[in-house]
Amino acid sequence: MQNPWRIRVSSGTFPSRFSKSFTIDKQPIGGPGDRTYVILEGGVSHGGNVDIALRLAKAAADAGASAFKLQHYHADDFISKQDQEWHERMRRKQLTDGEIIRVARACENFGITFLCTAHTLPAFEFLRFTVRVPAFKVGSGEIGNASF
């Protein structure tokens, strides 16, 4: 099967549509002499508890990370209720929009960038227009979903 992305990992080359350097929250990345950009991945390890998410964000800042990243979704928007076990497991791990805003503001106070992976279009729009995250990490499950 031909690789539609034309990425050759072994040589470190990328198709021309990707820039070799960019910025996230005014920090240059990928250029000669640029500082390593470290993202602490919180994912859903907070288990749906905003206090744990806030402690993880603080730990990221204390460790010197450049950014702290979570995942945002509403289980009802992308997991069928027909699979009750999976739906409930993911529902328990989600944070509300308000809790995401709390963590984003805490990151700002801690001096690190808040990033987030959106798993649905409503979550993406919320993160882009309300939270105003400076960059998105697209989940690997979405690599073939060009419209997303």
Side-chain angles (χ1 to χ4, degrees):
M1 181 174 144
Q2 186 177 12
N3 181 347
W5 305 104
R6 298 184 316 274
I7 298 174
R8 293 189 324 224
V9 176
S10 61
S11 68
T13 60
F14 296 90
S16 61
R17 69 179 176 204
F18 295 122
S19 174
K20 291 183 181 182
S21 63
F22 54 95
T23 62
I24 295 178
D25 207 15
K26 300 180 185 170
Q27 183 174 330
I29 300 166
D34 288 347
R35 196 180 110 198
T36 301
Y37 195 84
V38 177
I39 302 171
L40 189 139
E41 171 64 60
V44 294
S45 61
H46 50 73
N49 183 322
V50 71
D51 293 324
I52 293 172
L54 291 165
R55 288 198 305 266
L56 289 169
K58 178 72 167 107
D62 290 348
S66 308
F68 176 66
K69 188 183 88 56
L70 293 177
Q71 297 178 22
H72 189 46
Y73 58 88
H74 300 105
D76 290 346
D77 291 345
F78 84 116
I79 300 173
S80 171
K81 289 182 182 176
Q82 290 179 332
D83 189 344
Q84 291 178 348
E85 181 182 336
W86 182 249
H87 182 273
E88 182 57 24
R89 182 167 57 158
M90 294 307 290
R91 189 197 59 74
R92 284 192 313 264
K93 295 178 183 180
Q94 70 189 17
L95 293 176
T96 66
D97 290 353
E99 290 168 333
I100 290 290
I101 290 171
R102 268 184 74 190
V103 176
R105 298 306 167 247
C107 286
E108 187 176 334
N109 291 334
F110 299 151
I112 62 172
T113 299
F114 176 73
L115 299 174
C116 202
T117 296
H119 288 285
T120 62
L121 186 56
F124 173 83
E125 290 173 344
F126 166 75
L127 292 167
R128 181 176 179 207
F129 297 115
T130 302
V131 181
R132 303 180 67 93
V133 295
F136 287 93
K137 188 267 184 186
V138 177
S140 57
E142 301 299 335
I143 198 161
N145 186 356
S147 64
F148 186 68

